[in-house]
Amino acid sequence: MNAGDAYDMMEAQYIRRHHRHDIRDDQCSSALVKHVKAPVNLVWSLVRRFDQPQKYKPFVSRCIMKGDLGIGSLREVNVKSGLPATTSTERLELLDDEEHILGIKIVGGDHRLKNYSSIITVHPEVIEGRAGTIVIESFVVDVPEGNTKDETCYFVKVLIRCNLKSLANVSERIPVPDQTQPFNRF
């Protein structure tokens, strides 16, 4: 088994443990993985900010909170032009700071992502001898009339890949004082 196989097994374990969705026949679902060269606490500090998704999500121009950042609170997200939407209303479903899990559900907006929910988890790993992070985002969404499961999944995966790439770019640009020394496991 090579290192790539070990990572694949780790990712699969995280997905089985944290990324469970009840999927109906008229829905599609997938999970995407991104390796980030930044410590898990730094990456989590960006992901967990339900009130500030624009910190790393390039398609979000503004976020207005409705609630106290507790489970069930809502955010009204304004989407940048270029996408087939202008607003999205999203509810915080899960926020676990110990396990590093964020779950959201889209409950309104002027887009075609009906019954969309996603789970994002972050997990520590070692990348090139330094503290790094595995970020996994999974989703389930209705397939809109006139679209196939493949088309719907492809569209959502493109958006998520873009968000994950941006999360990595933002995270990796934040200076980390203790990153000057190699990471030792023992």
Side-chain angles (χ1 to χ4, degrees):
M1 173 187 308
N2 64 33
D5 292 336
Y7 282 134
D8 292 341
M9 286 176 40
M10 253 183 0
E11 293 163 6
Q13 288 175 356
Y14 292 140
I15 291 168
R16 274 193 303 276
R17 182 172 176 207
H18 300 293
H19 296 267
R20 295 189 191 135
H21 297 279
D22 293 325
I23 304 165
R24 299 186 322 255
D25 289 341
D26 64 339
Q27 294 181 312
C28 70
S29 181
S30 190
L32 292 91
V33 177
K34 181 71 176 169
H35 297 269
V36 180
K37 293 178 182 179
V40 70
N41 289 337
L42 188 151
V43 176
W44 178 243
S45 73
L46 292 166
V47 170
R48 75 168 312 282
R49 292 303 304 262
F50 181 71
D51 61 331
Q52 295 183 356
Q54 68 274 22
K55 291 279 188 185
Y56 75 90
K57 292 186 176 189
F59 300 116
V60 175
S61 61
R62 186 171 90 156
C63 176
I64 300 168
M65 283 301 303
K66 298 178 179 183
D68 61 359
L69 287 177
I71 302 302
S73 61
L74 298 175
R75 68 182 179 194
E76 195 69 37
V77 173
N78 291 359
V79 180
K80 291 183 179 175
S81 63
L83 288 179
T86 58
T87 64
S88 180
T89 305
E90 302 168 359
R91 182 175 59 225
L92 182 60
E93 297 283 302
L94 176 63
L95 180 61
D96 185 330
D97 283 315
E98 283 188 31
E99 293 283 332
H100 301 132
I101 307 169
L102 176 79
I104 67 155
K105 181 170 183 67
I106 294 179
V107 296
D110 64 347
H111 50 73
R112 300 184 70 194
L113 298 178
K114 304 300 179 212
N115 290 314
Y116 178 93
S117 61
S118 87
I119 298 170
I120 304 170
T121 60
V122 299
H123 311 274
E125 73 169 335
V126 176
I127 301 174
E128 297 170 2
R130 300 194 185 279
T133 303
I134 300 171
V135 182
I136 303 171
E137 184 165 354
S138 64
F139 70 92
V140 63
V141 65
D142 288 0
V143 175
E145 194 170 318
N147 289 89
T148 67
K149 284 185 180 187
D150 286 344
E151 292 167 336
T152 304
C153 257
Y154 178 80
F155 173 74
V156 175
K157 287 163 62 173
V158 166
L159 293 177
I160 291 173
R161 272 191 201 100
C162 188
N163 287 339
L164 293 176
K165 182 178 181 192
S166 178
L167 174 63
N169 289 339
V170 170
S171 298
E172 291 169 359
R173 283 195 310 256
I174 296 173
V176 180
D178 61 340
Q179 286 284 288
T180 57
Q181 297 297 317
F183 178 81
N184 293 318
R185 288 183 186 220
F186 306 100

